[in-house]
Amino acid sequence: MSKNLKIDEFEYTSLFKCTRCGQCTYGQEEAEFTSLCPVHKKGNFFSYSAGGMMQIARNLYEGKIDYSETLKDIVYLCTTCGVCESNCGVIENHLDIIGKIRRELITLDFPESKALAKVVEGIEKFKNPYGHKQEDRTDWLDGRKEVINNSDASVFYYTGCVSAYDQKQVPQALTRIWDHLDIRFSVCDAEQCCGGPLFYSGYEDKARKLAQHNVRMIEESGIKTVVASCPTCAMVFKKYYPEWLKRELPFEVYHSTEHLAGLVAEGRLKPGALKEKSKAIYHDSCHLGRGLGLFEEPRDLMQAIGGLETEEFNLCRENSQCCGGGGMIPIINSAFSFETAYERLDQIDDETVDTLASACPNCRKTLHLAARKKRRKIRVADVCELIADSLA
Amino acid sequence: MNELKRALFSVFPSDRVSDDPAILAGYSADSATLPGSATAPSYVVLPKTTDEIVHLVQIAHRSRIPLVPMSRGSNIAGMSVSVQGGIVVDCRMMNHILEINTESGYALIEPGVTLHQLSSALQKKRFFCHLPTATGGSSALANYMMRPSGNFSARWDPDPLLSLEVVTPGQGVVRTGSACFENVGWRARYQCLPDLTGLFANSFGTLGVVSKGSVKIFDRGETDKVLLVSFDEFSQAAEYMKLIVRRQLAESVTFWSWGWNLFHEMTLSKETRIPEAMLKEDQKSPPPGVPFGIASARLSGYEDVVQVQEERCIRIANELGGEHLDDQKAREIHPGCYNYLNGYFGKGVHIKPGEESQIRAGLHLSGCLVTVQPENVAKLEAYMWDLARREFEPPYFFRALPYSHAREFFFAFVVYVQGSLEERRDYLTHIKGIYHQLYTDLRNKFGAVMFRFRKYPEFLSYTGGYGDLLKDIKKSVDPHNIMNPGMLIF
């Protein structure tokens, strides 16, 4: 066996546990059997689900099927939203296995494979998925050179690729809050991609190298508190780095909302009031919510902001629906990414809500682009931006 | 394009029929399929209406190609895997609750309706349905068609089925129960003619494709209560269960041995490792502080009546050596188990991720399931412990519940197999071999009968004229033996 898929025996055994119950596609009781899995929305057959992909993996491993257009179509729909892993009762490593199928697909002659291969290549060469220069990584600081490799800092800020190169408003807002509180932070110009995109493409070995670099870099700074704005980065650090590196991390990692909520609890951070009253709806990022279990922290922060009324999606918390921004889908299947984002936006009434808040730069980017494309007037903002606004 | 393909594509739009290997792979195996044994069908179709099923059955009958019906939810026994190729009829899109008739006490549902979907809809009307221990994502109708064991097995007959609509190769659309008469409706299992609903129950798709059915629903009453009693011996628990059911004190009761209760803990915690205590050599004796087993009973009705029922149950339990576990004590001993039992028996919902989550920690739950008369159930339990000590590795455990006013007991003994498939293949084969012989031994020793058909082709030959009659019916209903032939009933 092992003809068409490289997985180990542990992973092969896990494929046998799938009972085809379909729970991988829908959420908890409150979701009332709404299909949450983006893959499942695109096809009626069982193969369009994480469970179906486990059966596909089993058949690939046993050499009973080969890679095909349909197989590629299914696997390249996965946004790594994690509905499967959080709802399946029997398997917990769907995303690892899907990543390994992707790794095989990447070598084949599909347009999506080429796009993904370019991302992988870009990360290997430039240490970020966009192919941007390393020296531009700290551009978002607008010349504040004193915080780069700052030996006097108590917080190490792991900016992450999306924030550093694209969604610069997010790190700028977070550092405005720190400045307001006189919290000294350090940003490292040698920071590299966390490795998440490589891992989700089946390249755990390549991701491990990035992990080694990032951990060494932080370790050398001597700082024990690491904060990341990106839930994927925070999740990869917390969940995968110890596993990949086979050791506990010598520092604590926090997502920005987790860190700021801690400051509020200590009484150090006291969000003020917005200049103009606003009503916001909070979108749970998949990797922040289902991935890290951080549901209350962003909500608590928003509650603390004066003049900000909040609303919930019907599908929220564990049952939150993906924005379409994960799994490199915006790069390899941009139409599907937009389709998924539109579906999320359609759950918002622009007449009653003026702000769509998230705590993930990738969700912010995806939903912002989709909102503009649909000419929706809603503002998309990170929770940090709302707090920073309240302090202004 | 061959004739069969052309015919199928003329009935189903392209998003509901496929012969693509990547799509078919999803239907090639379930958790009972051994390594290297995945077998994909030639086609899969997703019908939405009875008419589509009628066309499909005609095409398959004409082409003499196997049809394997599949509904929705857990597949743990290979019943919907098309080991002989053919067409899988995946009914997941027939997922509508067509009617909830609280006046007549039934729900008319399609095969894709899940237990969770049905119980949630009924909850809003303060009604309740039979809940087997299958996951909430399982098809209610398919599960009821397989003689479920669950929360309404005790006071009422365990069979929740009333009328069915089945498409057979020989007769086309057949309606059973009261629905066989036009304009009479779906309210009843029996009318003035022989019962045909029972013919299709336990037939596992070998006689036709079920397209809808009515099932019993029950008023929740003013209040409901889950009563937990621990016992040190199963014989005491069996007597307790029989008495509280016969005396109309509880509508259901199940005894779970300590191993099963620890697995309920794992269900809640999403724990992936089997607790050390579960792996002890002496599986009959529980670890310190854990009762040998817990009988969980559901009481419901008027509040004052339930209170009296509870007092009487506790009195009977005490007389037999049982100990009532109040909420606080139950939470202390078994928090996960307490939550599971309350959710399942009390609220009438399956706590996610459900009982199958136990599979996460290992490879397979291999069960021997029988029904047996009350006076033999404790003897059977003793026999199983002795057998397990000789033949099985820890952990293993059992549950038992009275059926049909305690005329008989359902008894499930489960061996939990851990490790990788390659390592455990011989052990799994060993267990399967033991069970095969065991069903014969238990029948001879205790009058116990296999609860659900386990693909033992010789089984029908033990039944004399009953088997001959069934074979004749099969020939009439399915002359070319196209309906799920891999089940090996006929």
Coordinates of all heavy atoms in Angstrom, one line a residue, chain B residues 164-193:
Chain B
L164 N -44.7 2.5 6.9 CA -43.6 2.7 6.1 C -44.0 2.9 4.6 O -45.0 2.3 4.2 CB -42.6 1.6 6.1 CG -41.9 1.3 7.4 CD1 -41.1 0.0 7.3 CD2 -41.0 2.4 7.8
E165 N -43.1 3.6 3.9 CA -43.2 3.6 2.4 C -41.9 3.0 1.9 O -40.9 3.5 2.2 CB -43.4 5.0 1.9 CG -43.6 5.0 0.3 CD -43.7 6.5 -0.2 OE1 -42.7 7.2 -0.3 OE2 -44.9 6.9 -0.3
V166 N -42.0 1.9 1.2 CA -40.8 1.2 0.7 C -40.9 1.0 -0.8 O -42.0 0.6 -1.3 CB -40.7 -0.2 1.4 CG1 -39.3 -0.8 1.1 CG2 -40.9 -0.1 2.9
V167 N -39.9 1.2 -1.5 CA -39.9 0.9 -2.9 C -39.1 -0.4 -3.1 O -38.0 -0.5 -2.8 CB -39.2 2.0 -3.7 CG1 -39.2 1.7 -5.2 CG2 -39.8 3.4 -3.4
T168 N -39.8 -1.4 -3.6 CA -39.2 -2.7 -3.8 C -39.1 -3.0 -5.3 O -39.9 -2.5 -6.2 CB -40.1 -3.8 -3.2 OG1 -41.3 -4.0 -4.0 CG2 -40.5 -3.6 -1.8
P169 N -38.1 -3.8 -5.7 CA -38.0 -4.2 -7.1 C -39.2 -4.9 -7.7 O -39.6 -4.7 -8.8 CB -36.7 -5.1 -7.2 CG -36.0 -4.7 -5.9 CD -37.0 -4.4 -4.9
G170 N -39.8 -5.7 -6.9 CA -40.9 -6.6 -7.4 C -42.2 -5.9 -7.4 O -43.0 -6.0 -8.3
Q171 N -42.5 -5.0 -6.4 CA -43.9 -4.4 -6.3 C -43.9 -2.9 -6.5 O -45.0 -2.3 -6.5 CB -44.5 -4.7 -4.9 CG -44.9 -6.2 -4.7 CD -43.7 -7.1 -4.6 OE1 -42.6 -6.7 -4.1 NE2 -43.8 -8.4 -5.0
G172 N -42.8 -2.3 -6.6 CA -42.8 -0.8 -6.7 C -43.0 -0.2 -5.3 O -42.5 -0.7 -4.3
V173 N -43.9 0.8 -5.3 CA -44.1 1.5 -4.0 C -45.1 0.6 -3.1 O -46.2 0.3 -3.6 CB -44.7 2.9 -4.2 CG1 -45.0 3.5 -2.9 CG2 -43.7 3.7 -5.0
V174 N -44.6 0.3 -1.9 CA -45.5 -0.4 -1.0 C -45.6 0.4 0.2 O -44.6 0.9 0.8 CB -44.8 -1.8 -0.6 CG1 -45.7 -2.5 0.5 CG2 -44.6 -2.7 -1.8
R175 N -46.9 0.6 0.7 CA -47.0 1.3 2.0 C -47.6 0.3 3.0 O -48.5 -0.5 2.7 CB -48.0 2.5 1.8 CG -47.3 3.7 1.2 CD -48.2 4.9 1.2 NE -47.5 6.0 0.6 CZ -48.0 7.2 0.5 NH1 -49.3 7.4 0.8 NH2 -47.4 8.2 -0.1
T176 N -47.0 0.4 4.2 CA -47.5 -0.6 5.2 C -48.2 0.1 6.3 O -48.4 1.3 6.3 CB -46.2 -1.2 5.8 OG1 -45.5 -0.3 6.6 CG2 -45.3 -1.8 4.8
G177 N -48.7 -0.7 7.3 CA -49.5 -0.1 8.4 C -50.7 0.6 7.9 O -51.3 0.2 6.9
S178 N -51.2 1.6 8.6 CA -52.4 2.3 8.3 C -52.3 3.0 6.9 O -53.3 3.2 6.2 CB -52.8 3.3 9.4 OG -51.8 4.2 9.6
A179 N -51.0 3.3 6.5 CA -50.8 4.1 5.3 C -51.1 3.2 4.0 O -51.1 3.8 2.9 CB -49.4 4.6 5.3
C180 N -51.3 1.9 4.2 CA -51.6 1.1 3.0 C -52.9 1.5 2.4 O -53.1 1.3 1.2 CB -51.5 -0.4 3.3 SG -52.8 -1.0 4.2
F181 N -53.8 2.0 3.2 CA -55.1 2.5 2.7 C -55.0 3.9 2.3 O -54.5 4.7 3.1 CB -56.2 2.3 3.7 CG -56.4 0.9 4.1 CD1 -56.0 0.4 5.4 CD2 -57.0 0.0 3.2 CE1 -56.2 -0.9 5.7 CE2 -57.2 -1.4 3.6 CZ -56.8 -1.8 4.9
E182 N -55.6 4.3 1.2 CA -55.6 5.7 0.8 C -56.4 6.5 1.8 O -57.4 6.0 2.3 CB -56.2 5.8 -0.6 CG -55.2 6.5 -1.6 CD -55.8 6.6 -2.9 OE1 -55.8 5.5 -3.6 OE2 -56.3 7.7 -3.3
N183 N -56.0 7.7 2.1 CA -56.7 8.6 3.0 C -56.8 8.2 4.4 O -57.6 8.8 5.2 CB -58.1 8.9 2.4 CG -58.1 9.4 1.0 OD1 -57.2 10.2 0.7 ND2 -59.1 9.0 0.2
V184 N -56.1 7.1 4.8 CA -56.2 6.7 6.3 C -55.1 7.4 7.1 O -55.3 7.7 8.2 CB -56.2 5.2 6.4 CG1 -56.1 4.8 7.9 CG2 -57.5 4.6 5.8
G185 N -54.0 7.6 6.4 CA -52.9 8.3 7.1 C -51.9 7.3 7.8 O -51.9 6.1 7.5
W186 N -51.0 7.9 8.6 CA -49.8 7.2 9.0 C -49.8 6.8 10.4 O -48.7 6.5 11.0 CB -48.6 8.1 8.7 CG -48.4 8.4 7.2 CD1 -49.1 9.3 6.4 CD2 -47.5 7.7 6.3 NE1 -48.6 9.2 5.1 CE2 -47.7 8.2 5.0 CE3 -46.6 6.6 6.5 CZ2 -47.0 7.7 3.9 CZ3 -45.9 6.2 5.4 CH2 -46.1 6.7 4.1
R187 N -50.9 6.8 11.1 CA -51.0 6.8 12.5 C -50.7 5.4 13.1 O -50.3 5.3 14.3 CB -52.3 7.2 13.0 CG -53.5 6.3 12.6 CD -54.8 6.6 13.2 NE -55.8 5.6 12.8 CZ -56.6 5.7 11.8 NH1 -56.5 6.7 10.9 NH2 -57.4 4.7 11.5
A188 N -50.8 4.3 12.4 CA -50.8 3.0 13.0 C -49.9 2.0 12.4 O -49.7 2.0 11.2 CB -52.3 2.4 13.1
R189 N -49.4 1.1 13.2 CA -48.6 -0.1 12.7 C -49.6 -1.2 12.2 O -49.3 -1.8 11.2 CB -47.8 -0.6 13.9 CG -47.1 -1.9 13.7 CD -45.9 -1.8 12.8 NE -45.1 -3.0 12.8 CZ -44.0 -3.3 13.5 NH1 -43.6 -2.4 14.3 NH2 -43.4 -4.4 13.4
Y190 N -50.6 -1.4 12.9 CA -51.5 -2.5 12.6 C -52.9 -2.0 12.1 O -53.4 -1.0 12.5 CB -51.8 -3.4 13.8 CG -50.5 -4.0 14.4 CD1 -49.8 -3.4 15.4 CD2 -49.9 -5.1 13.8 CE1 -48.6 -3.9 15.9 CE2 -48.7 -5.7 14.3 CZ -48.1 -5.0 15.3 OH -46.9 -5.6 15.7
Q191 N -53.4 -2.8 11.1 CA -54.8 -2.6 10.7 C -55.4 -4.1 10.7 O -54.9 -4.9 11.4 CB -54.9 -1.8 9.4 CG -53.7 -1.7 8.6 CD -53.3 -2.9 7.8 OE1 -54.1 -3.8 7.8 NE2 -52.2 -2.9 7.1
C192 N -56.3 -4.3 9.8 CA -57.0 -5.6 9.8 C -56.2 -6.7 9.1 O -56.6 -7.9 9.1 CB -58.3 -5.5 9.2 SG -58.3 -4.6 7.6
L193 N -55.0 -6.3 8.5 CA -54.3 -7.3 7.6 C -52.9 -7.6 8.3 O -52.5 -6.9 9.3 CB -54.0 -6.7 6.3 CG -55.3 -6.4 5.4 CD1 -54.9 -5.5 4.2 CD2 -55.9 -7.7 5.0

